[in-house]
Amino acid sequence: MTPPPEIRNICCIGAGYVGGPTMAVIADRCPQIQINVVDLNESRIAAWNEKDLSKLPVYEPGLDEVVARARGRNLYFSTEVNAAISTADMIFISVNTPTKTKGLGSGQASDLRWVEACARQVALHAQGHTIVVEKSTLPVRTAETIQAILQAAQQPSTNKPQRSFVVLSNPEFLAEGTAISDLESPDRVLIGGEDDEAINALASIYNQWVPTKKILRTNLWSSELSKLTANAFLAQRISSINSIAAICEVTGGDVREVSMAIGADSRIGKKFLNSGPGFGGSCFKKDILNLVYLCKHFGLPEVADYWQNVVTLNTWQQTRIAQLIVKRLFGTVTGKRLAIFGFAFKADTNDTREAPAINIALELLEEGAQLAIYDPQVKSNQIEIDLQLPATSCPDIKAGQTRAALNGEGTWWISNSVEEAATGSDAILILTEWDAFKNLNWNNIAPKMRQPAWVFDTRSVVNPQEVRSTGLKLWRVGDGAS
Ligand code: UDX
Ligand code: UDX
């Protein structure tokens, strides 16, 4: 088995939040490698090929510039999956692996049907020697499944020239919103595998811009498990600080001060200690549930319970916030207009997967609230999918109280600006920490609201004095004084 001396052609299956930006940066840094990013979803590929770079399917600061440099030069997006597989020396599998919603392991295990389908497609169409790289986050030992499928394809047959495969794990640690800088200067690149030549081939690609000491090598299983563990640890910090926020609120402490004080301990470190409405995003919950499933499967129920509680606390934080909003608005939000500032799961992304805004909005809709939602990047049709409720048009504000149709039906609509959303509202809920919400003109906003009016700042972005000086009431997460 002679591995390719160098990688000249890469195929990436899955043009999502991970595959698209990752391949764009590799193409940018390695102009000598031809990269084909393929996806079954035609409209997604069309969006990646959009001339107008503001219409790329993924919003990431800096992504447009990287795509502009590489696209059409050595970076191509298409739906021709089989053709791209057949010309590739290296294939990244970057398809989604959501939590199973039915059957064995439902609610916890990852649904690997697309990963398996990709492996079978690779087995059918690959030529010569192919390095297959797991990019998707996968349960530990998934590489075994991929290997088994590829090994079967490796058997000599009369009508096909001999092929060979190596499977590597190369989990992606990029965070959305900072994907390009995370890819351009990663804390580390992790490569798991058993075949030194294949590992060297992949390492040499990253080595074009990542220092050798940051390229870590482990066995396959450690690599797969490291990704789950990194996400579990990060999520655990958020649940930990959110649990302390709740204690601050009842004792008079301030969670920002506690975070600052504990973060100054170099053993703890100051990152990932921002209390908020709970973590969202495609990975944290899914990966922890995956870990929980693995623990149960391997007979470790105490370990499973330990990690399960990180998710339980996260959901509780969202319910807790929705309930305290209702309580402060005289125990009812039926027919009340509430402005939601920010729907994305974090700032600088248009992604709403597992966004805390979804659960909080659903609880308030259940209570009959009328939600005016403003987010700088999230589109109305995405919110419709997330809330499983069509948008209405904005009710006539001049109709006053009667507008509310106090029949208990929750409704929502999209607003085009913070001012529009705030007009006539009883409360503003800041659910995403967009920069635009950090310097709002509260003197301008307050008179537009129906008094007495509230600001619920779940992200600690407002200046409390500025808000309070306008006569607005303010609740901040983890603030025992509000
Ligand atoms: C996904 C997983 O959620 C994450 O765990 C993993 O680490 C990387 O892949 P992401 O890129 O954010 O992350 O997912 P998504 O934006 O849904 O993109 C996956 C893409 O794969 C979609 O565009 C989908 O159309 C495509 N796909 C899926 C295929 O092309 N073929 C398939 O068989 C299945
Ligand atoms: C995460 C991991 O950071 C990344 O390494 C992995 O590859 C994918 O999952 P991502 O989900 O994109 O990345 O964003 P991240 O910045 O980790 O934030 C996740 C959630 O935690 C967001 O909802 C964010 O608002 C929340 N968060 C983060 C907090 O509530 N407090 C913090 O201090 C940090």
Side-chain angles (χ1 to χ4, degrees):
M1 181 177 81
T2 324
E6 78 179 295
I7 304 300
R8 294 208 180 84
N9 189 306
I10 287 178
C11 161
C12 172
I13 311 179
Y17 284 88
V18 172
T22 308
M23 291 304 126
V25 169
I26 296 182
D28 192 31
R29 299 299 175 128
C30 306
Q32 75 285 7
I33 304 179
Q34 155 123 357
I35 301 186
N36 295 306
V37 186
V38 291
D39 200 299
L40 295 176
N41 184 331
E42 287 179 11
S43 61
R44 199 161 222 185
I45 289 298
W48 278 111
N49 284 321
E50 263 286 343
K51 275 212 179 79
D52 178 354
L53 292 168
S54 69
K55 293 193 176 142
L56 295 180
V58 170
Y59 172 74
E60 279 293 340
L63 175 64
D64 49 355
E65 288 161 39
V66 177
V67 170
R69 282 196 293 271
R71 199 177 58 186
R73 179 189 70 186
N74 63 324
L75 175 66
Y76 301 91
F77 295 92
S78 89
T79 51
E80 302 290 321
V81 184
N82 297 345
I85 291 173
S86 66
T87 54
D89 309 312
M90 183 177 272
I91 298 172
F92 287 81
I93 299 185
S94 203
V95 297
N96 39 333
T97 49
T99 305
K100 279 183 83 170
T101 51
K102 54 185 179 187
L104 187 65
S106 174
Q108 289 180 335
S110 280
D111 192 336
L112 296 180
R113 75 178 95 164
W114 293 288
V115 170
E116 185 179 331
C118 285
R120 290 186 187 279
Q121 217 167 351
V122 170
L124 267 180
H125 299 283
Q127 312 277 335
H129 182 70
T130 311
I131 300 171
V132 177
V133 184
E134 295 177 345
K135 201 40 137 173
S136 304
T137 306
L138 296 165
V140 183
R141 303 205 80 92
T142 304
E144 243 168 21
T145 309
I146 300 178
Q147 265 164 346
I149 291 168
L150 296 177
Q151 244 161 28
Q154 220 166 290
Q155 304 307 320
S157 80
T158 42
N159 53 358
K160 282 215 165 157
Q162 180 65 42
R163 286 115 34 89
S164 55
F165 299 95
V166 174
V167 179
L168 300 178
S169 157
N170 172 220
E172 186 48 66
F173 295 102
L174 67 80
E176 287 175 34
T178 52
I180 300 302
S181 57
D182 292 345
L183 287 162
E184 289 183 336
S185 31
D187 284 350
R188 80 310 207 176
V189 166
L190 180 57
I191 303 176
E194 323 301 331
D195 182 308
D196 283 340
E197 273 152 331
I199 294 172
N200 287 340
L202 181 55
S204 70
I205 293 174
Y206 286 110
N207 223 196
Q208 301 292 314
W209 75 98
V210 181
T212 309
K213 65 175 188 318
K214 287 194 172 180
I215 302 177
L216 314 181
R217 298 161 184 233
T218 66
N219 74 32
L220 267 173
W221 325 121
S222 302
S223 173
E224 289 180 341
L225 190 57
S226 297
K227 171 71 198 230
L228 295 183
T229 308
N231 278 345
F233 268 58
L234 290 167
Q236 179 205 44
R237 272 172 84 93
I238 300 171
S239 280
S240 297
I241 201 67
N242 284 340
S243 75
I244 300 302
I247 304 178
C248 285
E249 286 167 32
V250 290
T251 56
D254 183 328
V255 76
R256 284 148 293 269
E257 293 179 351
V258 175
S259 291
M260 188 254 299
I262 64 167
D265 186 326
S266 61
R267 292 168 303 176
I268 296 175
K270 60 181 193 280
K271 292 184 183 166
F272 259 72
L273 286 180
N274 293 326
S275 178
F279 55 78
S282 71
C283 283
F284 282 179
K285 185 174 164 195
K286 168 173 78 84
D287 289 355
I288 296 177
L289 293 178
N290 206 328
L291 198 56
V292 168
Y293 183 71
L294 275 175
C295 295
K296 287 186 179 160
H297 176 79
F298 288 109
L300 300 166
E302 290 80 6
V303 187
D305 288 350
Y306 176 76
W307 289 109
Q308 175 64 50
N309 273 322
V310 173
V311 175
T312 304
L313 197 120
N314 196 55
T315 313
W316 173 77
Q317 174 79 340
Q318 292 160 14
T319 308
R320 181 175 92 79
I321 289 174
Q323 288 177 353
L324 71 86
I325 291 169
V326 176
K327 280 190 197 137
R328 295 201 182 206
L329 295 175
F330 308 119
T332 174
V333 293
T334 307
K336 285 182 181 161
R337 184 179 290 212
L338 309 179
I340 292 194
F341 285 10
F343 203 83
F345 82 96
K346 62 186 273 196
D348 290 328
T349 178
N350 59 346
D351 193 349
T352 61
R353 287 177 291 179
E354 301 292 340
I358 299 175
N359 277 345
I360 294 174
L362 285 175
E363 299 237 10
L364 296 170
L365 287 170
E366 178 71 21
E367 297 273 351
Q370 304 206 325
L371 307 178
I373 303 180
Y374 169 73
D375 187 287
Q377 288 295 337
V378 179
K379 304 263 184 314
S380 183
N381 61 345
Q382 183 59 51
I383 301 176
E384 273 186 356
I385 294 168
D386 292 334
L387 298 180
Q388 296 187 351
L389 184 68
T392 61
S393 53
C394 174
D396 179 9
I397 193 66
K398 295 199 191 79
Q401 183 65 50
T402 56
R403 72 174 151 79
L406 298 169
N407 60 4
E409 288 293 313
T411 56
W412 74 275
W413 60 92
I414 203 88
S415 293
N416 295 314
S417 67
V418 288
E419 288 79 13
E420 192 183 307
T423 301
S425 67
D426 290 54
I428 290 171
L429 286 43
I430 302 177
L431 300 183
T432 311
E433 73 285 19
W434 285 101
D435 270 348
F437 304 150
K438 291 180 182 162
N439 294 305
L440 293 172
N441 183 344
W442 291 102
N443 284 319
N444 185 17
I445 292 173
K448 293 184 164 47
M449 300 175 71
R450 188 172 78 154
Q451 306 299 328
W454 279 88
V455 174
F456 294 92
D457 181 7
T458 71
R459 295 284 192 171
S460 305
V461 291
V462 305
N463 177 325
Q465 286 77 33
E466 272 178 27
V467 174
R468 291 204 177 98
S469 70
T470 65
L472 291 172
K473 294 170 182 295
L474 173 66
W475 175 90
R476 289 197 305 163
V477 68
D479 183 352
S482 71

